[in-house]
Amino acid sequence: MAKTRASADQFAFTFDAPQPATLPAALAGVDARVARTVAEVLKNDDRDRLVIAAAMSVLLDEEVSKAMLDAYASPARDGHNISFARMLALIAVTNRFDLLDRELRAIGAAVLVGEEIYTAEIGHIDSEIEKL
């Protein structure tokens, strides 16, 4: 897999608990926000969009084209929103878990990647021991 350019915030991680979206209109405009995230993922990857689309197609076992990626990356094309499955495939082929984390924090969730789950499990065990 080709190297991707790292953005300044790609390595930023916080252990602050994200707050769930509960207020009225807390998720208003999320489609445009996701489109901007797709655009950011694509902009910061050195590979051609054709290559990214092909990698996504392989993961999903369905056709994803460069034109689809272009449409998903445009907030103005609100009739062409990326599906959750395709967003996951895009994140998987570009390794931009930081951007997925950023989007999930809007609903009170966070992303752990790979062996980071062990760190969370250790923290959970320590917390349970303290309670006992």
Side-chain angles (χ1 to χ4, degrees):
M1 188 170 285
K3 285 212 167 230
T4 59
R5 291 180 279 166
S7 67
D9 64 344
Q10 185 169 357
F11 301 106
F13 183 82
T14 178
F15 287 100
D16 299 334
Q19 298 300 311
T22 57
L23 299 174
L27 296 176
V30 77
D31 288 335
R33 180 177 163 159
V34 169
R36 287 189 297 274
T37 297
V38 170
E40 184 176 350
V41 169
L42 296 171
K43 178 182 176 201
N44 291 311
D45 196 293
D46 291 332
R47 295 171 293 172
D48 187 275
R49 290 183 183 190
L50 288 169
V51 174
I52 295 170
M56 290 173 63
S57 296
V58 169
L59 276 182
L60 294 168
D61 193 28
E62 63 185 53
E63 180 66 28
V64 177
S65 69
K66 177 190 177 298
M68 289 175 181
L69 292 181
D70 292 342
Y72 298 150
S74 174
R77 297 190 59 189
D78 59 359
H80 293 86
N81 298 323
I82 192 167
S83 70
F84 190 64
R86 289 181 180 194
M87 184 66 168
L88 291 178
L90 178 63
I91 296 300
V93 302
T94 60
N95 292 313
R96 290 307 307 264
F97 301 104
D98 60 308
L99 296 179
L100 177 60
D101 181 69
R102 182 180 74 193
E103 295 307 318
L104 289 178
R105 284 180 178 274
I107 62 165
V111 173
L112 295 175
V113 179
E115 294 187 6
E116 291 173 353
I117 193 73
Y118 299 130
T119 303
E121 183 66 22
I122 291 168
H124 175 70
I125 291 168
D126 288 345
S127 175
E128 291 297 310
I129 289 170
E130 277 187 39
K131 287 180 190 175
L132 293 174

